[in-house]
Amino acid sequence: MNVNSASFTRYEQNNNVWLSQVKEQHWDFTDHGVKPTVLDSEAAVGKAMLNELYKTAASKDGDINIALLGGRGAQELHRLLGEIAKSNDQDELLARLNVFTQDALAPMGMDNSFSFVRDFERILGGEFFKKIKSFTPMRTDTSDLESGLIEYLNKLDALGGLDIFFIGHGPEKNQASHLAYIKPFSGAQSHHIAGLIPISSSILEHHISKFKAGGSVVSEGDENECRSAGYILTLGPAAILQAKKVVQSVVDADSAPAKIQTYANVFNTRLSSDKEEVLHQLNSNPGLWVRFHPNAQSFVLPSLEVNSVE
């Protein structure tokens, strides 16, 4: 597939490949800050996330497009959705869901236990996937990762983009952070909808440790294949900014204590009034992108050591 002749433009810098939609993009650089809501348990965070889905379902007709958060951050939400799918109470809602993954390690077999797809299947359960309208993962088992990513993006665009981007917060070196897997100094800009970036040892270790902490049953062979992955497929800043709602959850500061400081940096950083300097701040600490979304919720636990902000 020719990337440049289709609906996307390709940018490459320092082995980072970013895709942008050809259609015109607008971003006003308004800083909306971060307004954490501190809840008393992981179960409460899951219920709050589910409530955001219910609010979206009540506010619009037709399909609901969501990006699932992998790892620990949304496991309680996924357990709740799995329980709901076992009854018929919310079948109408489930039938409206177009579900997308937001990032992936590649190349890696789709059946690898360190794949987010396998983790979603484990917690959400088979009934959930039978009842939703569609499920679209990022393909990690193809020889042409870019074309696979473009096929995914074309489907997302044809459906009208994300209604809810369920998102986390990952720690990085120098007290920086990532969203989805937008890495510091990977060159991500506001018009980049998705990318393919080289993987680092720190990302692999974080990925493997959070899967183990989350209860995934893994094999040595799967772990070895995961450690040999060379790239990260990820949605980019444009996917975050264009989503109608962003719902962030940070529930694992107990097992990932670096998040206490990295989240505080996202919360407290004074953003420059100079556009070029802001872009440098965002490139250095991509966790800051969440501050530019006008409709973002951030549900966290007391272990993150922040106070609720109204």
Side-chain angles (χ1 to χ4, degrees):
M1 181 182 296
N2 188 323
V3 176
N4 291 313
S5 66
S7 302
F8 300 92
T9 303
R10 182 183 191 273
Y11 302 81
E12 183 172 0
Q13 185 177 21
N14 299 326
N15 296 319
N16 298 289
V17 175
W18 290 102
L19 302 173
S20 296
Q21 295 166 305
V22 172
K23 60 186 179 183
E24 190 175 358
Q25 307 292 318
H26 296 284
W27 181 45
D28 64 7
F29 282 86
T30 299
D31 177 15
H32 300 277
V34 178
K35 300 178 177 64
T37 299
V38 183
L39 300 171
D40 61 7
S41 68
E42 202 166 334
V45 170
K47 289 179 181 177
M49 297 171 76
L50 180 61
N51 191 48
E52 292 299 323
L53 176 60
Y54 287 155
K55 288 179 183 178
T56 293
S59 68
K60 66 167 295 190
D61 297 324
D63 290 2
I64 303 168
N65 308 323
I66 65 173
L68 290 176
L69 169 60
R72 174 91 173 273
Q75 284 188 344
E76 283 300 322
L77 168 65
H78 298 162
R79 289 190 180 98
L80 287 172
L81 288 171
E83 288 300 315
I84 288 169
K86 292 177 183 177
S87 72
N88 298 320
D89 294 345
Q90 295 291 340
D91 281 4
E92 183 178 355
L93 168 61
L94 294 175
R96 297 167 62 190
L97 292 182
N98 294 305
V99 178
F100 291 81
T101 57
Q102 61 182 269
D103 48 36
L105 306 183
M108 192 165 71
M110 298 295 287
D111 60 349
N112 189 295
S113 56
F114 285 97
S115 163
F116 284 126
V117 174
R118 298 285 81 77
D119 205 43
F120 293 146
E121 290 177 348
R122 176 177 68 89
I123 301 176
L124 287 159
E127 286 302 312
F128 175 83
F129 289 96
K130 290 177 182 177
K131 290 184 175 182
I132 61 174
K133 188 166 187 178
S134 71
F135 176 61
T136 307
M138 291 179 170
R139 296 306 302 249
T140 59
D141 58 353
T142 173
S143 60
D144 189 345
L145 294 171
E146 284 186 45
S147 290
L149 185 56
I150 288 172
E151 183 178 355
Y152 164 104
L153 291 171
N154 278 329
K155 180 173 181 179
L156 179 58
D157 186 59
L159 291 171
L162 291 172
D163 292 295
I164 307 179
F165 198 138
F166 288 108
I167 206 164
H169 169 95
E172 292 287 342
K173 294 179 180 178
N174 301 316
Q175 298 181 342
S177 53
H178 64 259
L179 293 179
Y181 265 133
I182 306 169
K183 287 278 293 175
F185 303 108
S186 60
Q189 297 183 38
S190 62
H191 55 283
H192 292 157
I193 192 77
L196 189 153
I197 63 180
I199 205 164
S200 67
S201 59
S202 64
I203 282 288
L204 283 173
E205 289 302 327
H206 175 67
H207 182 88
I208 290 168
S209 64
K210 72 181 180 182
F211 265 62
K212 290 181 176 179
S216 294
V217 178
V218 299
S219 69
E220 182 178 354
D222 282 352
E223 183 169 340
N224 289 337
E225 183 184 36
C226 181
R227 290 185 183 279
S228 69
Y231 300 96
I232 303 166
L233 305 176
T234 182
L235 287 174
I240 298 171
L241 298 173
Q242 292 173 16
K244 297 175 182 66
K245 180 192 296 183
V246 171
V247 178
Q248 183 179 56
S249 61
V250 189
V251 300
D252 55 348
D254 52 350
S255 59
K259 292 189 179 187
I260 296 171
Q261 186 57 54
T262 59
Y263 186 90
N265 285 350
V266 170
F267 183 74
N268 293 316
T269 293
R270 183 173 181 176
L271 294 175
S272 174
S273 59
D274 179 77
K275 181 178 178 179
E276 292 303 316
E277 179 58 28
V278 168
L279 291 174
H280 174 72
Q281 289 178 292
L282 289 163
N283 193 34
S284 302
N285 188 7
L288 292 167
W289 282 106
V290 74
R291 288 176 52 166
F292 292 92
H293 197 284
N295 185 20
Q297 301 283 341
S298 189
F299 298 118
V300 306
L301 295 183
S303 57
L304 206 58
E305 300 179 7
V306 296
N307 295 319
S308 291
V309 176
E310 297 297 330

